[in-house]
Amino acid sequence: FPLSNIGPNEFRIGLVVMIDCKIVQCSSVEEFLGMEEQWDRLLFDANKENIFLTHTWQKTWWRTYGDDKALWILEAQYGQRIIGIAPLMMERSSLGMRRLAFIGCGELKPEHLDFIVLPDYHQLFVEKCLTYLLQRKSDWDILDLKGLAGETPTLAILKSSFPVLVKFQYQIVEYSRCPYIELTDSFEEYIRSRSKNTRRNLRKRSSRLHREYPEIEKGSIKSADEIDGAFESLVELHQARWNRLGYPGAFASELSLEFFQDFLHDGFEQDTLRMYYIKDRQEYKAIELCFRVGETVYDYLSGYDEEFAEYSIGTQVLTFSIEQAISDGCREYDLLMGGAKYKFDWASNFRLDYQAIIASSTPRGNIAWIFWLSKRELRARLEGLIYNKTLRKIKKELSGKLPAIFS
């Protein structure tokens, strides 16, 4: 097809010329809730099988957290088929700043977020979304794509598009590092890939645990009737440990509890929920909350009884989860956000997620941009203070035991 034969509203994919798509904004909750079949089909076809992008996660989050927000979903169709979805929402800060962000962003800390687009349409869809947003720059102040997957074409397309946004402030910063495991064909093969010291410690503490607690058992949730009891124990174990360390914990808010109480049952029905545990005399001593989508298991969080910490029971339930993922034929185990040292005892790789920020070229957008930069700098300073305070606390606790460790 010579270029002279391509009309102004057409574009080329390979050797096929197709009619240009149009961006449509969805702000109706009813319409959003009715998109499940098309949404998840697109997610599968786009190779974006991520638990945080599934319609079930997004709609449950919206029902729980969406009262003071507005949907800003952008979608494009070709014929009768949706070829791209940008799962966005609008929220207002206490100062009135209008922020566009991914649905689900916030205290649940979703990872690897992205626009959901058929591969052949990615460039077109992202550029169309940007054009749509820039034409409506007076309707929003800042676009905050927090948790944007680093491996997505969206990131590269945004970077290449930014230079033409002459009057817009923008920035891309690293948001999180997520260790992950490329699973082998057998658990034995995987364990052999770990360090000699890691293998020895796991074997030693596992043997000691079973010797001193002969009724100890490992397993996973098999019926819907077990979910509420297991979740209640997970909350108790997780919160007790993090509260003792001076942190609020993942279940500090009523909304987070409400979300998981709804989502876990839906996840079980859809076969995405995985809850692995270690019990002693029918009491949960450690629980790992995971989700499986496609060939990937997402390790969301865990909780364990600190009275069993000397047996590395948290590590034991983690490795049991990895073993079960391999047994189920999964190819990847994603440890999600955080660069905690223990994660790299079990994972050799990590991927980056980013935060892409664009401020509208309006007076409100300029103010929002200054506010965001100030907030980011303040957060960095506070994190530095918290780190130093934690370091001093550790030094004090170890004083006299390991006097040279921090010298």
Side-chain angles (χ1 to χ4, degrees), residues 225-238:
D225 293 338
E226 299 176 80
I227 294 174
D228 291 340
F231 180 63
E232 183 178 341
S233 295
L234 171 63
V235 172
E236 182 179 345
L237 294 170
H238 177 89

Side-chain angles (χ1 to χ4, degrees), residues 183 186-188 190-191 218 276 316-329 333:
L183 297 175
S186 70
F187 183 67
E188 291 72 22
Y190 165 70
I191 283 294
K218 298 178 181 178
Y276 303 104
Q316 293 201 45
V317 75
L318 169 60
T319 53
F320 177 68
S321 304
I322 297 170
E323 182 178 9
Q324 295 305 300
I326 293 173
S327 178
D328 289 345
Y333 193 96

Side-chain angles (χ1 to χ4, degrees), residues 126-141:
V126 175
E127 291 178 352
K128 285 287 185 179
C129 285
L130 279 177
T131 300
Y132 182 90
L133 290 171
L134 301 186
Q135 289 173 345
R136 291 157 181 78
K137 62 184 181 180
S138 62
D139 295 338
W140 54 277
D141 301 322

